[in-house]
Amino acid sequence: MQETRQNRIARLLQKELASIFQSQTRAMHGVLVSVTRTKVSPDLSICTAYLSIFPSDKSEELLKNINANEKTIRYNLGQRVRNQLRIIPELRFFIDDSLDYIERIDELLKK
């Protein structure tokens, strides 16, 4: 039962975080940040979000900027989900490099 609640909250947070990043990156032309996956801890206190950043050469710089503004992002998230969640989880962001990994595997298989 707890696992379904975790999944439901993870999907809600993923949708809202994607919306926040979409509105934040609209001013920066040519940059796209998408939330590929979110995981929520069993006690619902920590949310781990995996981000896919395009173009990938700016990913480290953008991730540092996102981590520096984590409190603002959490506040904006709290404003959006305050009616669904009692406690807004702590946010942790990581780069999802699975697409780069798949690309590299394809290149190796073609050789």
Side-chain angles (χ1 to χ4, degrees):
M1 188 67 184
Q2 180 70 15
E3 190 171 307
T4 56
R5 178 167 168 79
Q6 276 178 263
N7 291 337
R8 198 173 65 220
I9 290 173
R11 283 193 309 269
L12 172 71
L13 295 175
Q14 179 179 3
K15 186 182 93 159
E16 295 299 335
L17 282 171
S19 177
I20 289 169
F21 287 131
Q22 183 181 16
S23 66
Q24 295 291 326
T25 59
R26 190 168 286 145
M28 301 186 321
H29 298 288
V31 175
L32 178 67
V33 177
S34 60
V35 183
T36 56
R37 187 177 55 182
T38 54
K39 288 184 187 176
V40 180
S41 63
D43 63 350
L44 308 177
S45 66
I46 299 172
C47 174
T48 305
Y50 294 92
L51 306 176
S52 178
I53 300 172
F54 179 81
S56 59
D57 59 331
K58 294 183 178 181
S59 61
E60 291 296 326
E61 176 188 342
L62 281 172
L63 186 65
K64 287 179 184 177
N65 191 7
I66 288 169
N67 283 326
N69 294 317
E70 184 263 334
K71 300 248 187 262
T72 307
I73 296 169
R74 186 176 177 198
Y75 176 78
N76 291 337
L77 182 65
Q79 294 296 312
R80 292 171 179 255
V81 298
R82 66 177 176 228
N83 295 329
Q84 288 100 349
L85 296 177
R86 187 178 305 154
I87 297 173
I88 307 305
E90 176 186 331
L91 300 173
R92 295 184 181 163
F93 298 105
F94 296 99
I95 293 179
D96 183 17
D97 57 355
S98 60
L99 292 176
D100 295 333
Y101 181 71
I102 290 170
E103 230 175 76
R104 187 172 180 283
I105 295 286
D106 283 343
E107 286 176 17
L108 290 174
L109 288 174
K110 286 178 184 176
K111 291 180 181 178

